[in-house]
C-alpha cells in the first residue's frame, strides 16, 4: 500500500531532481511518528506540513504557515504523500514541479490525539474521516493542532489547520515570519538561493 501511495510523488518529479526518490517505511516501527514543516520558496512562499502515517509522510501545503494563535484558521491544501527520507531534505530544486528552495523549518515527533466516542482513533482512520488532532513536539511548534477536511467551495483538497488553545499557544508569537532558519542546518531559503551548491 505504501509503495502505491508514493506513485504520484515519483510521477511529478524529474530524474534530475535532488529530492529523494524514496520508498515507504514500515507502518509500525515502535518509535514515535515524526513530523516535519518545510519552508518552501517556490512559485510562492509556503510551508509544507508532513505527518508520518503508515510509512509515508502525509502532506499539506500551508500558504501562510502554521500559526500558534488559536484564533487563526490556516488553509492547508492536501498534496501527494512523500517518502520518509524527505523528513530531512533541504536543497534547491532548479526546475520542474516545486522548483525553488526547501529548508527544514521545524521537525520532531508527534502524538495522535484523535478520539472517537472517547476511544483513540488510528491516524489513518482519522485522516480518512477528515479530522485529525495531533500534539507536536518540535523546536518551533509544540502542543496540539487540529486538521479538518473542509471541502470549501467543492475543493476536495481543502483542509483547515488550527492551533488548540493549550500550553503551546501564543497569541503574540509569529514564528513563520520571525524564525526563517532551518532547525537542522541554520540556513535560510535565501542562503540556498545565494549558494546553488
Amino acid at each position: 500500500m505504501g509503495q502505491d501511495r508514493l506513485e504520484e510523488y515519483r510521477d511529478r518529479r524529474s530524474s534530475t531532481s535532488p529530492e529523494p526518490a524514496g520508498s515507504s517505511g514500515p507502518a509500525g516501527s515502535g518509535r514515535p511518528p515524526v513530523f516535519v514543516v518545510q519552508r518552501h520558496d517556490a512559485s510562492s512562499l509556503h510551508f509544507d506540513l508532513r505527518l508520518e502515517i503508515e510509512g509515508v509522510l502525509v502532506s499539506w501545503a500551508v500558504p501562510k504557515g502554521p500559526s500558534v494563535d488559536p484564533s487563526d484558521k490556516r488553509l492547508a491544501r492536501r498534496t501527494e504523500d512523500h517518502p520518509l527520507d524527505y523528513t530531512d531534505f533541504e536543497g534547491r530544486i532548479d526546475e520542474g514541479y516545486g522548483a525553488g528552495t526547501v529548508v527544514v523549518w521545524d521537525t520532531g515527533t508527534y502524538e495522535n490525539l484523535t478520539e472517537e466516542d472517547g476511544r483513540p482513533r488510528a491516524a489513518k482512520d482519522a485522516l480518512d474521516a477528515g479530522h485529525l488532532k495531533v500534539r507536536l513536539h518540535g523546536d518551533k511548534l509544540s502542543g496540539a493542532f487540529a486538521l479538518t477536511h473542509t471541502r470549501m467551495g467543492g475543493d476536495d483538497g481543502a483542509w483547515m489547520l488550527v492551533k488548540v488553545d493549550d500550553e503551546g499557544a501564543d497569541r503574540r508569537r509569529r514564528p513563520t515570519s520571525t524564525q526563517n532558519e532551518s532547525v537542522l542546518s541554520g540556513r535560510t531559503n535565501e542562503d540556498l538561493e545565494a549558494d546553488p551548491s
Side-chain angles (χ1 to χ4, degrees):
M1 176 183 171
Q3 288 291 101
D4 294 338
R5 290 172 66 183
L6 293 175
E7 185 176 346
E8 183 180 355
Y9 168 84
R10 292 192 194 95
D11 286 348
R12 287 175 176 258
R13 282 152 181 86
S14 73
S15 60
T16 60
S17 173
E19 298 163 284
S23 61
S24 60
S29 62
R31 56 160 176 75
V34 298
F35 85 93
V36 63
V37 178
Q38 281 154 318
R39 190 175 190 268
H40 189 178
D41 194 357
S43 54
S44 61
L45 176 65
H46 64 278
F47 292 76
D48 293 310
L49 169 63
R50 311 190 198 282
L51 300 175
E52 177 186 355
I53 299 176
E54 293 198 348
V56 297
L57 294 173
V58 176
S59 301
W60 293 263
V62 186
K64 293 185 177 180
S67 174
V68 294
D69 182 346
S71 66
D72 289 340
K73 293 179 173 61
R74 294 292 168 86
L75 175 65
R77 178 167 301 286
R78 181 79 190 273
T79 62
E80 74 277 10
D81 295 338
H82 282 53
L84 285 179
D85 49 2
Y86 211 95
T87 305
D88 57 2
F89 172 72
E90 295 190 337
R92 179 182 170 122
I93 305 165
D94 286 325
E95 57 184 33
Y97 178 71
T101 56
V102 177
V103 298
V104 175
W105 184 78
D106 199 14
T107 191
T109 61
Y110 80 91
E111 301 167 64
N112 174 22
L113 302 179
T114 317
E115 294 185 346
E116 181 180 26
D117 298 326
R119 287 179 291 202
R121 186 169 202 182
K124 180 65 168 65
D125 293 341
L127 181 72
D128 292 343
H131 181 73
L132 187 61
K133 184 179 177 183
V134 297
R135 179 180 289 119
L136 303 182
H137 301 282
D139 290 330
K140 297 174 182 174
L141 300 177
S142 63
F145 288 78
L147 275 158
T148 304
H149 195 183
T150 66
R151 297 178 176 85
M152 289 189 310
D155 180 357
D156 198 47
W159 290 63
M160 200 64 67
L161 175 65
V162 179
K163 178 74 187 78
V164 174
D165 197 353
D166 62 10
E167 71 284 349
D170 189 334
R171 287 173 169 77
R172 295 178 304 273
R173 193 163 69 92
R174 298 287 182 265
T176 55
S177 58
T178 61
Q179 298 174 280
N180 296 337
E181 70 286 346
S182 162
V183 295
L184 297 184
S185 66
R187 297 183 297 178
T188 65
N189 295 81
E190 293 71 25
D191 292 333
L192 295 178
E193 283 292 343
D195 181 12
S197 64

